[in-house]
Amino acid sequence: MNPWINAEVLKIKKWTENLFSIFLKAPISKFEAGQYTKLALYEDIKKRKIQRAYSFVNAPSNKNLEIYIVRIQNGKLTNILYNLKEKDNIFIKKHAFGFFTLKEIPNYEILWMFATGTAIGPYCSILQEGKDIERFKNIILIHAVRYKNELVYLPLMEKLCKKYNGKLKIQTILSREKDKNSLSGRIPFLLENKIIEQKIGLDMNYKNSHVMLCGNPSMVKETYSLLNKNRNMTKHLRKKSGNITMENYW
């Protein structure tokens, strides 16, 4: 049983017209970094719950819950969430969901974390918590967005780089504008041409790497197909260890 419980809004941080973070206080059960929850509100007309799944950005040890959300044009729930005020109440699930956690990842020399858009959330949670990190020699965090102003968690990513003292490397990617600190293009193209590896200075192969893919379903599907075909990397299953762990963001 996983009941809905009340969550109090502590703050809404509006990064852009379409990107925002919601901070909540709620007596949820302990979750694992990388897991997700569900938020819900009643639809005014039909009095039924509108619910969507969102990953935690905060570390499990941080009791102030943080969710990073993209505002969908004509979306039923995201527009309401965007306009919530401090001390408003919404519904949240008592228990978290999902297996996109380090506990599920086998031991490899290099852990690659790929995210598009708001899918940076679970990686922020994992890296802020910092548990089970020491078994990887290198961790590479790749965040792809359209425009530079969508890199709203870049300051946190840079802070985490300092925390891990060389173990963590970050690389941003922009698809619709150019910036001297970011690569340009889409993740599958940059991988196919080994542009990401050249920039990072590390090789990705089925012997030394595990890849986490989180974000746009097209990116996840295309990247998996590319790595499976060109690098002989396989999907990781509990019954059969592999190189790729995936989570789609709709």
Side-chain angles (χ1 to χ4, degrees):
M1 186 176 177
N2 192 357
W4 291 102
I5 60 174
N6 286 320
E8 179 186 345
V9 176
L10 299 176
K11 182 175 68 173
I12 302 288
K13 174 66 175 178
K14 297 179 179 178
W15 304 102
T16 71
E17 290 185 357
N18 296 310
L19 293 172
F20 65 103
S21 296
I22 183 168
F23 296 81
L24 303 169
K25 181 180 180 181
I28 64 169
S29 300
K30 187 175 181 180
F31 68 94
E32 290 185 40
Q35 288 190 303
Y36 67 92
T37 188
K38 291 182 180 179
L39 302 181
L41 284 166
Y42 279 117
E43 191 174 8
D44 288 337
I45 301 173
K46 299 179 181 179
K47 293 296 179 183
R48 64 183 180 186
K49 284 191 180 76
I50 315 168
Q51 59 177 287
R52 299 289 185 272
Y54 300 106
S55 291
F56 293 105
V57 174
N58 61 290
S61 55
N62 185 345
K63 299 304 179 184
N64 290 333
L65 309 178
E66 182 177 354
I67 310 289
Y68 184 35
I69 302 172
V70 59
R71 185 183 186 188
I72 306 299
Q73 187 176 8
N74 300 320
K76 289 184 177 181
L77 183 60
T78 57
N79 284 289
I80 301 174
L81 294 175
Y82 185 83
N83 291 299
L84 288 174
K85 306 297 182 184
E86 183 181 343
K87 295 188 177 180
D88 282 344
N89 286 284
I90 63 174
F91 296 104
I92 190 170
K93 281 292 186 178
K94 177 75 173 178
H95 309 295
F97 305 85
F99 302 98
F100 198 71
T101 64
L102 288 193
K103 187 175 74 174
E104 300 292 329
I105 305 297
N107 292 330
Y108 278 91
E109 181 182 338
I110 309 172
L111 179 62
W112 300 80
M113 298 174 162
F114 286 87
T116 56
T118 55
I120 193 67
Y123 299 130
C124 290
S125 181
I126 289 168
L127 292 169
Q128 286 186 98
E129 186 70 358
K131 292 183 178 178
D132 207 20
I133 293 291
E134 66 283 345
R135 60 193 173 100
F136 305 104
K137 183 177 180 181
N138 290 285
I139 300 173
I140 316 302
L141 177 60
I142 311 288
H143 189 202
V145 296
R146 297 173 304 169
Y147 302 103
K148 186 178 179 180
N149 71 340
E150 295 173 350
L151 294 170
V152 300
Y153 280 93
L154 184 56
L156 172 61
M157 293 161 64
E158 291 173 338
K159 183 179 178 181
L160 289 168
C161 271
K162 293 179 181 178
K163 172 184 175 180
Y164 287 107
N165 196 28
K167 179 188 286 284
L168 174 65
K169 298 176 178 64
I170 59 172
Q171 180 59 56
T172 55
I173 299 171
L174 304 180
S175 62
R176 298 191 183 178
E177 68 177 359
K178 293 186 181 298
D179 177 75
K180 64 179 182 179
N181 296 316
S182 298
L183 294 175
S184 181
R186 297 179 67 249
I187 288 172
F189 171 83
L190 295 171
L191 279 174
E192 185 174 15
N193 293 279
K194 296 197 173 185
I195 295 171
I196 292 175
E197 291 157 275
Q198 290 170 11
K199 185 69 183 291
I200 297 296
L202 292 171
D203 183 49
M204 179 194 297
N205 60 66
Y206 72 93
K207 293 182 179 180
N208 73 354
S209 294
H210 192 91
V211 176
M212 299 178 77
L213 300 174
C214 189
N216 181 283
S218 295
M219 180 282 289
V220 172
K221 182 179 179 181
E222 288 178 42
T223 305
Y224 168 74
S225 296
L226 173 74
L227 295 178
N228 181 246
K229 180 180 178 181
N230 294 358
R231 311 286 182 97
N232 199 30
M233 300 176 83
T234 59
K235 184 178 180 180
H236 176 65
L237 303 170
R238 283 185 163 181
K239 293 181 179 179
K240 188 177 180 181
S241 183
N243 306 93
I244 305 171
T245 299
M246 298 177 282
E247 183 103 305
N248 286 326
Y249 262 48
W250 295 92

